Amino acid sequence: MTLVFASNNEHKIKEINSLLGDSFKLLSLGDVNIREDIPEEEPLIEGNALAKARFVYNATGMDVFADDTGLEIAALNGLPGVHSARFAGENKDSSANIRKVLSMLGSSENRIARFRTVIALIYEKKEFLFEGVVNGTITMGIKGTKGFGYDPIFLPEGRIHTFGEMELEEKNTISHRARAFEKLKEFLLRNALTNNK
Ligand code: IMP
């Protein structure tokens, strides 16, 4: 089954390819000749995911999915949330984003956080949403060099290693994105079987 994944983030494309497996052929934005930055200006991650999927659908007419993720920190009233990528500025600097989170939290004892991913799928002209969540806490400092974004300061519930200390395979067993994509995969496989695609 061929689908456009509305992303040019190589980390993500690698993650999602390993999650979805061989039954799916994923095309990136580059593969379908979309070079511009798709606007992400909605106030909710659901809205951003849908806006990206619709943008690609309108340009290509192909089945497409888009994801949007936010790190939601309880003591910061859900921030950085929908602003996760650009929390410390337009240049999407992960180290600066991490520094900002750690400095806003200071020595606060409430470090409860969660990653939340929403996937918007446009499949055979209909729209669907899938959500994945992983609960955890924000560490006092940076731990690990793997992964991307806020991985080095996110400690998943019940674990001793941050996402930044985990191999991708281990992260994929529990991550927000993996959970949302499992739902997407299940949906697609069920529908592909039914439609004999
Ligand atoms: P996006 O919507 O997937 O592009 O994610 C928005 C921002 O959230 C990214 O730029 C990262 O800063 C952060 N983020 C998303 N997923 C992850 C993850 O798995 N680990 C760490 N940070 C993430």
Side-chain angles (χ1 to χ4, degrees), residues 28-49:
S28 69
L29 287 176
D31 292 333
V32 295
N33 282 320
I34 296 181
R35 311 269 169 215
E36 66 261 55
D37 261 350
I38 303 178
E40 295 186 40
E41 290 157 355
E42 300 297 322
L44 297 174
I45 61 178
E46 282 80 357
N48 269 340

Side-chain angles (χ1 to χ4, degrees), residues 12 68-69 84-85 115 148-151 171 176-177:
K12 269 211 253 178
D68 203 55
T69 295
S84 292
F115 274 114
F148 70 102
Y150 300 90
D151 279 344
K171 180 181 172 189
H176 46 301
R177 201 170 6 264

Side-chain angles (χ1 to χ4, degrees), residues 63-74:
D63 291 337
V64 54
F65 61 87
D67 69 332
D68 203 55
T69 295
L71 172 66
E72 300 174 336
I73 301 177

Side-chain angles (χ1 to χ4, degrees), residues 148-173:
F148 70 102
Y150 300 90
D151 279 344
I153 56 166
F154 185 80
L155 181 67
E157 202 169 64
R159 298 295 173 128
I160 56 168
H161 292 128
T162 67
F163 274 164
E165 296 171 305
M166 284 181 191
E167 298 299 336
L168 178 58
E169 290 70 25
E170 188 183 353
K171 180 181 172 189
N172 275 349
T173 63

